[in-house]
Amino acid sequence: MLEIQGLTVTYGPVEAVSGLSFHVACGTVATLIGPNGAGKTTTLNALSGVVRPSRGKILFDGRDITRMSAHRRVSAGIVQVPEGRQVLAGMSVRENLELGGYRRPRCEVLRDMERMEERFPILRDRRYAPAGSLSGGEQQMLAIARGLMAKPKVLLLDEPSLGLAPKLVTAIFNIVRELRDEGQTILLVEQNARQALVISSYGYVMESGSLVLEGPADELRSDQKLAQTYLGQTI
Ligand code: ATP
């Protein structure tokens, strides 16, 4: 579904991503893990078109989209759920959902809003509440639902469990698992490596803008070097 070849992204003198190559297979979850500042968010931003790479190629379903604008990528099916939720705090839950589908026919958007409310009952209960009044976990559900409203072919999920209590972390991972079981292609960025690898088929480990390790998720989960060197935790 996604094929990234030699991606390099710079911010002035800082090379945040350096010649990165990886792929995300159709209907699978791939996880990008690594320490803070490794370049994970920058990679997702380059895939969604929010930042421009200075070198490299992005192929989406075989098509070169490296120069395609961000809004066209949304229409093509590449949808990002950004780190920190970034819901529109002063707008209602429904308005946030509606915005997620802004490039789609209104009749489909209305139908899919109902579906989102079935999937996430809390969003139905709070449909007229300002999004900013929701808890962190509820806002994350809204951010994912808003992303799904765009009918993604590939969903770029940036740190969905960040800052959430353990029970909510589990709820968010269960949602990602459900989406995977429905055949949704997902590229997941997570600090919570163990749980992310449990629901992924393949994992990539980044450090200082480059890949340092990759492999099937179950192999990475039992990799002691990964646990000790790259994540500073037992996975
Ligand atoms: P985190 O887990 O902390 O979000 P990350 O792996 O997602 O980290 P990035 O946010 O992509 O890493 O950052 C990669 C590098 O690029 C870091 O050195 C960061 O300081 C730098 N960087 C990120 N965004 C910008 C920016 N807008 N301007 C300048 N430098 C940036």
Side-chain angles (χ1 to χ4, degrees), residues 12-25:
V14 178
E15 192 166 281
V17 174
S18 311
L20 186 68
S21 298
F22 69 101
H23 71 275
V24 183

Side-chain angles (χ1 to χ4, degrees), residues 11 14 16 35-42 83 159 191:
Y11 299 109
V14 178
N36 285 338
K40 306 180 298 296
T41 294
T42 300
E83 184 176 344
E159 307 261 15
Q191 295 278 349

Side-chain angles (χ1 to χ4, degrees), residues 67-106:
R67 303 279 149 224
M68 188 186 272
S69 65
H71 70 275
R72 284 190 195 282
R73 291 187 205 196
V74 174
S75 298
I78 301 176
V79 176
Q80 185 173 19
V81 178
E83 184 176 344
R85 353 274 186 220
Q86 298 188 27
V87 295
L88 292 154
M91 294 173 78
S92 72
V93 166
R94 279 217 131 200
E95 287 166 335
N96 271 270
L97 288 177
E98 210 173 332
L99 266 181
Y102 82 107
R103 295 187 72 82
R104 299 179 51 216
R106 189 163 164 74

Side-chain angles (χ1 to χ4, degrees), residues 146-165:
R146 182 183 58 184
L148 292 173
M149 286 297 299
K151 259 193 171 276
K153 291 201 174 84
V154 58
L155 193 63
L156 311 175
L157 272 181
D158 198 352
E159 307 261 15
S161 77
L162 191 70
L164 300 182

Side-chain angles (χ1 to χ4, degrees), residues 1-233:
M1 181 74 86
L2 272 177
E3 173 91 41
I4 290 87
Q5 301 174 347
L7 187 77
T8 297
V9 184
T10 54
Y11 299 109
V14 178
E15 192 166 281
V17 174
S18 311
L20 186 68
S21 298
F22 69 101
H23 71 275
V24 183
C26 192
T28 68
V29 179
T31 292
L32 210 49
I33 49 184
N36 285 338
K40 306 180 298 296
T41 294
T42 300
T43 301
L44 292 195
N45 285 343
L47 296 180
S48 64
V50 176
V51 298
R52 294 268 154 201
S54 50
R55 286 196 301 280
K57 245 188 201 180
I58 302 167
L59 302 177
F60 173 54
D61 208 10
R63 179 177 170 205
D64 187 345
I65 57 150
T66 317
R67 303 279 149 224
M68 188 186 272
S69 65
H71 70 275
R72 284 190 195 282
R73 291 187 205 196
V74 174
S75 298
I78 301 176
V79 176
Q80 185 173 19
V81 178
E83 184 176 344
R85 353 274 186 220
Q86 298 188 27
V87 295
L88 292 154
M91 294 173 78
S92 72
V93 166
R94 279 217 131 200
E95 287 166 335
N96 271 270
L97 288 177
E98 210 173 332
L99 266 181
Y102 82 107
R103 295 187 72 82
R104 299 179 51 216
R106 189 163 164 74
C107 60
E108 288 184 18
V109 169
L110 292 173
R111 183 198 61 200
D112 283 358
M113 282 208 290
E114 302 288 324
R115 289 189 182 156
M116 287 309 145
E117 290 180 347
E118 276 163 33
R119 186 190 279 274
F120 304 99
I122 187 69
L123 301 184
R124 181 193 295 133
D125 299 344
R126 306 291 311 275
R127 58 162 64 152
Y128 301 118
S133 69
L134 269 53
S135 71
E138 291 164 355
Q139 287 191 21
Q140 186 61 60
M141 286 177 198
L142 176 57
I144 293 173
R146 182 183 58 184
L148 292 173
M149 286 297 299
K151 259 193 171 276
K153 291 201 174 84
V154 58
L155 193 63
L156 311 175
L157 272 181
D158 198 352
E159 307 261 15
S161 77
L162 191 70
L164 300 182
K167 210 170 132 189
L168 288 166
V169 170
T170 304
I172 294 296
F173 275 106
N174 284 340
I175 291 163
V176 179
R177 190 195 309 265
E178 271 171 37
L179 291 170
R180 177 203 65 187
D181 292 345
E182 291 164 18
Q184 176 70 59
T185 307
I186 297 173
L187 176 58
L188 176 66
V189 162
E190 259 295 330
Q191 295 278 349
N192 203 329
R194 191 190 61 77
Q195 276 172 289
L197 290 172
V198 167
I199 58 168
S200 302
S201 340
Y202 209 81
Y204 296 95
V205 184
M206 279 184 84
E207 203 175 72
S208 304
S210 304
L211 281 188
V212 289
L213 196 62
E214 67 174 276
D218 48 359
E219 283 178 22
L220 291 184
R221 277 167 61 207
S222 52
D223 188 309
Q224 282 309 309
K225 192 169 147 224
L226 174 72
Q228 289 156 13
T229 314
Y230 299 119
L231 302 169
Q233 64 184 76

